[in-house]
Amino acid sequence: MAGQVQGKVALVTGGASGIGEAVCELLAREGASVAVTDVDDLKGPEVVARIRKGGEASFWHHDVTSEERWIEVVAEVMKRYGRLDVLVSNAGIGISVPTITEMSLADWRRQTAINLDGVFLSVKHCLPPMRKTGGGSVIMMSSLAGLRGAAGLSGYSATKGGVRLFAKSIAMECATFGDGIRVNSVHPGIIDTPIWGK
């Protein structure tokens, strides 16, 4: 990946820990300015402080389920950096239950709001500035559970399966527009990150 993101600006949701943290650090190491967004106001600034020892990053508190906050964050990123080239829609939660009959509707809706609504809002509000830049890359974090399901994680699997097909649809839409934006979903297996402890 050396040099591929030199001079680019990347926005990473859920960037304070786990996969998001690793993505932020790698993008910065390879030359991107990184907008680290998360609801974790303690760890987010710590990630930025580490990155700033050799790269460029800024932190924004960001509830990905809030459309109002999406509008504000994208505007602030554009004001600070003047462009947006990469979106990594990574924020997510995992709620495990022994059986779907024990899952509350509140937990179902909370997980769907973060894992699916948050991804929708990321694309809705990041595509316009990326199109102004003249192209870019959208990466949506799905999961192996979104490809083949998982017992005890049916709600999580449903959201990640939704992300997979949403990514495919947005890829076709961007191709139709000819806007030079690549769209991909990524499907990691189970990784021991804070998503499972929060």
Side-chain angles (χ1 to χ4, degrees):
M1 193 167 117
Q4 290 188 34
V5 292
Q6 188 68 44
K8 306 288 187 184
V9 175
L11 189 158
V12 182
T13 66
S17 65
I19 294 172
E21 178 181 3
V23 167
C24 289
E25 291 178 346
L26 178 61
L27 285 167
R29 195 162 54 244
E30 296 300 330
S33 297
V34 184
V36 180
T37 85
D38 207 295
V39 292
D40 192 331
D41 292 328
L42 293 175
K43 293 188 176 178
E46 291 175 5
V47 172
V48 167
R50 282 198 310 275
I51 289 172
R52 284 186 172 170
K53 291 177 182 177
E56 170 55 34
S58 300
F59 175 74
W60 279 271
H61 177 88
H62 188 190
D63 173 359
V64 295
T65 69
S66 167
E67 184 161 25
E68 180 181 356
R69 188 62 183 139
W70 266 109
I71 294 167
E72 293 168 351
V73 167
V74 171
E76 290 165 16
V77 169
M78 291 300 290
K79 182 177 180 182
R80 177 161 301 182
Y81 295 115
R83 61 186 294 138
L84 182 59
D85 305 279
V86 179
L87 165 66
V88 183
S89 200
N90 168 75
I93 61 169
I95 300 176
S96 175
V97 291
T99 169
I100 193 64
T101 61
E102 294 180 18
M103 186 172 214
S104 69
L105 181 58
D107 277 348
W108 173 273
R109 287 178 171 165
R110 179 169 156 258
Q111 186 166 242
T112 302
I114 295 169
N115 293 6
L116 203 48
D117 297 353
V119 174
F120 154 69
L121 290 170
S122 75
V123 171
K124 177 181 178 180
H125 293 287
C126 290
L127 276 187
M130 291 175 79
R131 284 173 171 159
K132 286 181 184 176
T133 301
S137 178
V138 173
I139 301 104
M140 302 181 204
M141 197 60 66
S142 181
S143 168
L144 187 60
L147 293 174
R148 63 185 193 196
L153 289 170
S154 53
Y156 177 78
S157 298
T159 63
K160 293 304 185 176
V163 167
R164 177 176 181 254
L165 288 180
F166 183 64
K168 286 178 175 289
S169 298
I170 298 303
M172 289 188 280
E173 179 178 315
C174 289
T176 301
F177 273 73
D179 56 17
I181 298 173
R182 293 186 317 279
V183 183
N184 293 282
S185 58
V186 179
H187 303 264
I190 294 175
I191 299 172
D192 187 11
T193 68
I195 185 177
W196 303 110
K198 290 183 178 180

